[in-house]
Amino acid sequence: MSTAQSGVTPMVQAEGVCKSFGALPVLKGISLQVQPGEVTCLIGPSGSGKSTFLRCVNHLEKINAGRLRVDGELIGYRERGGRLYEMSPRDAAKQRREIGMVFQHFNLFPHRTVLANVIEAPMLVKGQSRDQAVARAQELLAKVGLANKADAYPAQLSGGQQQRVAIARALAMEPKLMLFDEPTSALDPELVGDVLAVMQDLAQAGMTMVVVTHEMGFAREVADQLVFMADGVVVEKGDPREMLTDPQHERTQAFLSKLL
């Protein structure tokens, strides 16, 4: 996992990102950077804006102010003369291809086999041949420990297995950035470890990841940067081990004291 280097374009760069739903401000000027190859974990109480921020990174939610760039490119907008103009849905979808997202709930197609779930987007969106897509899918299913489940249907799998299929499906698009929105929170406790192990392997292979999580052990072991959010702002960010051992802000202290 790399650390920040001068002259390297951040994989994620948020500058003063604001997002409201109607009159309710949810993000109030979020600024942070994620360097290529780094893992950033977002923690904080429910309603602090973590999941909303993640959804803004791939333009599933439109921001109201600020700038969001992935790999140096503005997400969802073009800038002309200092003003932002929203991209067409087609252009936004092109950007989104390069950003993998794994949700809390697995969002698999229930009527399709595991293999069919994984090969669909590479064939439809990237134009891969079936043989190409199947070969890559089998590789990825082996990587997430599910080589023997290609012909199973989602309902025949445990929650942890379904989540690992969802990770394989996101990886099949060969993203440069992976977003995880509380990927283990819907799982039974004994299934969490398998999913976190897959994510840890991804991190070690150099995948840039932003992870909303309550798994502090994962954050301590795997993250390069820990970001504590509350009430739509970044309260504190820094080295995970330092922050978890000696948080500087009283909000962070209060939150972690309930978890650790």
Side-chain angles (χ1 to χ4, degrees):
M1 287 179 285
S2 68
T3 51
Q5 302 150 6
S6 58
V8 173
T9 301
M11 184 57 76
V12 179
Q13 183 161 24
E15 298 166 0
V17 171
C18 296
K19 171 68 187 175
S20 298
F21 293 105
L24 177 72
V26 178
L27 300 177
K28 306 169 187 169
I30 300 288
S31 294
L32 62 91
Q33 287 190 1
V34 181
Q35 300 300 328
E38 277 191 350
V39 178
T40 290
C41 283
L42 307 181
I43 62 169
S46 289
S48 56
K50 309 179 300 292
S51 294
T52 299
F53 176 71
L54 219 56
R55 292 171 67 84
C56 290
V57 172
N58 68 355
H59 202 57
L60 287 175
E61 297 289 355
K62 301 173 187 180
I63 65 175
N64 301 119
R67 301 281 187 278
L68 246 175
R69 289 181 174 83
V70 170
D71 204 13
E73 199 177 316
L74 264 182
I75 288 296
Y77 297 89
R78 291 202 168 80
E79 191 164 2
R80 287 197 297 273
R83 296 191 58 172
L84 292 185
Y85 298 89
E86 194 175 358
M87 279 181 180
S88 70
R90 174 183 290 221
D91 287 344
K94 266 188 198 161
Q95 286 187 326
R96 208 175 282 128
R97 285 180 201 175
E98 302 200 291
I99 304 171
M101 181 139 186
V102 176
F103 299 88
Q104 208 169 343
H105 299 286
F106 328 118
N107 294 9
L108 300 175
F109 297 117
H111 58 293
R112 297 210 171 111
T113 63
V114 163
L115 185 69
N117 266 283
V118 178
I119 66 176
E120 184 181 49
M123 287 169 62
L124 277 180
V125 179
K126 295 191 93 171
Q128 285 183 7
S129 72
R130 185 180 168 81
D131 287 351
Q132 241 184 326
V134 167
R136 178 71 177 137
Q138 286 170 334
E139 219 175 274
L140 289 168
L141 289 171
K143 194 176 195 171
V144 300
L146 294 172
N148 61 340
K149 297 292 185 186
D151 298 324
Y153 286 87
Q156 297 169 305
L157 304 179
S158 71
Q161 289 171 330
Q162 290 186 57
Q163 193 60 295
R164 285 184 279 151
V165 173
I167 294 172
R169 182 180 59 180
L171 291 173
M173 290 295 286
E174 299 179 340
K176 55 188 173 187
L177 168 67
M178 284 285 284
L179 309 176
F180 292 87
D181 189 6
E182 301 201 22
T184 58
S185 65
L187 301 180
D188 294 332
E190 69 272 19
L191 302 174
V192 167
D194 291 342
V195 173
L196 293 179
V198 168
M199 293 169 64
Q200 187 157 6
D201 287 347
L202 277 181
Q204 285 168 346
M207 175 61 77
T208 313
M209 293 157 52
V210 184
V211 184
V212 173
T213 188
H214 292 295
E215 301 290 340
M216 295 302 143
F218 175 83
R220 181 187 283 110
E221 294 303 312
V222 180
D224 300 283
Q225 174 177 227
L226 190 62
V227 177
F228 174 66
M229 287 175 64
D231 302 322
V233 300
V234 171
V235 176
E236 187 172 344
K237 59 187 172 192
D239 178 273
R241 286 148 292 279
E242 287 173 15
M243 255 177 81
L244 291 170
T245 317
D246 185 23
Q248 299 302 299
H249 196 285
E250 60 188 38
R251 289 292 304 272
T252 322
Q253 291 163 9
F255 175 76
L256 290 174
S257 69
K258 296 186 186 113
L259 285 179
L260 298 173

